[in-house]
Amino acid sequence: MTIAAILKSVHHEVVTIAPDASVADAVALLGERRIGAVPVMQGGRVVGIFSERDVIRMLKDGGAAALDGPVSAAMTAPPVTVAKDDAVIAALSLMTHRRIRHLPVLDGDTLVGFVSIGDLVKYRIDRIEADAAAMRDYIQTA
């Protein structure tokens, strides 16, 4: 099971933001799209990730005035990424060990997707349930 298989089943566009956008604009984007994080893109490359956790940290450190600052000042960089051919279990392990919930998916240096820990867990559960159903069917017909 690779990340590429998840990208086929997850049908949502990857929303991105520029590092010079304001934090207030990034917060509005997260709220409007009902998402928890967004890749930060510059020159066609992922340079960071802006997440709900970054908002909390930024507000704690700079107060409401920090909302006027650039995303580049609040984002998590460098971004932790995965390749589309990486195993789902490896991505889950990476997310668990790094305590992160979102991963940009790259093909070389090109962003091809963005997955959340929820996407990965759902895919794993669906696969386990499908395997269990196949095993039950096999046992019942044997």
Side-chain angles (χ1 to χ4, degrees):
M1 291 189 285
T2 65
I3 299 297
I6 290 177
L7 292 179
K8 289 178 185 173
S9 67
V10 176
H11 302 291
H12 54 78
E13 74 175 293
V14 178
V15 178
T16 64
I17 196 159
D20 59 349
S22 73
V23 170
D25 288 342
V27 169
L29 179 65
L30 294 179
E32 288 166 7
R33 296 297 186 114
R34 300 179 51 88
I35 55 178
V38 61
V40 181
M41 301 289 291
Q42 183 173 38
R45 297 185 63 143
V46 180
V47 295
I49 298 173
F50 182 80
S51 72
E52 299 161 322
R53 290 178 179 177
D54 295 318
V55 173
I56 299 302
R57 186 183 70 249
M58 179 258 335
L59 288 172
K60 178 187 110 0
D61 294 343
L67 291 169
D68 296 327
V71 167
S72 60
M75 70 184 186
T76 300
V80 177
T81 65
V82 291
K84 66 178 186 161
D85 296 326
D86 286 351
V88 171
I89 197 73
L92 280 168
S93 178
L94 176 65
M95 293 172 107
T96 301
H97 286 91
R98 296 293 299 268
R99 303 191 76 130
I100 56 178
R101 295 179 287 176
H102 301 86
L103 289 170
V105 181
L106 304 180
D107 185 3
D109 287 335
T110 304
L111 179 68
V112 295
F114 196 60
V115 294
S116 71
I117 196 161
D119 296 330
L120 302 182
V121 169
K122 180 185 181 314
Y123 185 80
R124 289 277 299 157
I125 289 171
D126 290 348
R127 293 291 309 199
I128 290 167
E129 288 175 351
D131 290 347
M135 183 64 74
R136 280 191 299 275
D137 290 345
Y138 174 75
I139 290 170
Q140 289 175 352
T141 59

